Amino acid sequence: DLPEGTVSGSSQVSDITGSLSGSLSGVSSSFAPYQTQVQLDSNGMSLLNEDASVTLATYGTTVTVGQNAAGKSRVFIDDDSVDLIVKSGGGSDTTFASFGATTTVGNASAEHVRIDSDSVDIIQDSNNKAVIDASGLTVTQGGAQVAQFAGTTVIGSSTDKVTISDSGITIRENNSDQITMASNVITVGSSTDKVTINGTSGITIRE
């Protein structure tokens, strides 16, 4: 006698193969849409929408995630950076962030932050910016340096400014030092007419 459950008749075999064929057909129909949505070729892989009319992502030597189409944004990855790109309704690309050896956040043609190997720059334009580097924090306005915060801090222009260092504090007006504070001595006035306040010797008035 055959063991229980053994297939023994042609009708049973037909029933099994028919059921298997139906199951495989169902699986095939379930995966049919993905056969057109995922495309493989020598360049890599592309992911398309359901009717295969729009490319949603490409993967190869470079990677693009998102549509390269008007009014859409996408991420582009190559061998030196990761970029966030927005295409305008008119079809022009603007990179709003790029992460690499030099990183920018914001439109590099307008207001943005730039980070590279030697500085962090906060830029409105080439004439208005703040730069942090090994020299300290330098602020430029209207193309002129208006402040530098470092071991020696300078606030103001070359002719009207406050200078602070470990040697003391100097206030300059109209290209002449008017007030100096150094070594426990305060001097108010020019080199010829001034008041000197010395913590040790007292007050001297020179006219």
Side-chain angles (χ1 to χ4, degrees):
D1 292 338
L2 293 173
E4 184 179 353
T6 301
V7 176
S8 60
S10 59
S11 61
Q12 285 181 287
V13 172
S14 177
D15 288 343
I16 293 172
T17 55
S19 176
L20 180 59
S21 175
S23 298
L24 292 176
S25 176
V27 170
S28 178
S29 63
S30 297
F31 279 92
Y34 303 106
Q35 295 174 359
T36 56
Q37 286 182 259
V38 178
Q39 296 182 353
L40 299 174
D41 57 28
S42 59
N43 295 318
M45 182 180 75
S46 298
L47 176 64
L48 283 67
N49 67 341
E50 188 170 357
D51 64 4
S53 63
V54 176
T55 300
L56 303 177
T58 59
Y59 305 89
T61 55
T62 63
V63 175
T64 301
V65 180
Q67 297 181 45
N68 185 358
K72 301 293 184 179
S73 59
R74 65 189 188 276
V75 175
F76 177 77
I77 306 171
D78 59 12
D79 59 357
D80 62 6
S81 67
V82 178
D83 303 334
L84 173 60
I85 303 171
V86 177
K87 188 181 286 292
S88 69
S92 60
D93 283 343
T94 300
T95 300
F96 280 96
S98 179
F99 302 91
T102 297
T103 293
T104 58
V105 178
N107 182 357
S109 299
E111 297 85 354
H112 65 285
V113 176
R114 173 188 170 96
I115 305 169
D116 57 26
S117 61
D118 59 9
S119 68
V120 177
D121 307 346
I122 303 172
I123 301 171
Q124 182 181 40
D125 54 43
S126 60
N127 292 320
N128 299 278
K129 59 186 177 181
V131 177
I132 304 171
D133 58 17
S135 300
L137 167 61
T138 302
V139 180
T140 301
Q141 184 178 44
Q145 180 177 311
V146 295
Q148 183 176 44
F149 300 90
T152 297
T153 293
V154 180
I155 303 171
S157 66
S158 60
T159 57
D160 299 280
K161 62 184 178 181
V162 177
T163 301
I164 304 170
S165 70
D166 56 3
S167 299
I169 300 172
T170 301
I171 300 175
R172 169 169 285 210
E173 193 274 326
N174 196 25
N175 208 29
S176 175
D177 293 345
Q178 297 298 316
I179 300 174
T180 61
M181 290 172 275
S183 301
N184 204 31
V185 177
I186 300 174
T187 303
V188 180
S190 65
S191 59
T192 56
D193 300 290
K194 61 184 178 180
V195 175
T196 302
I197 304 172
N198 190 307
T200 302
S201 61
I203 300 173
T204 302
I205 299 175
R206 179 179 179 180
E207 184 180 4

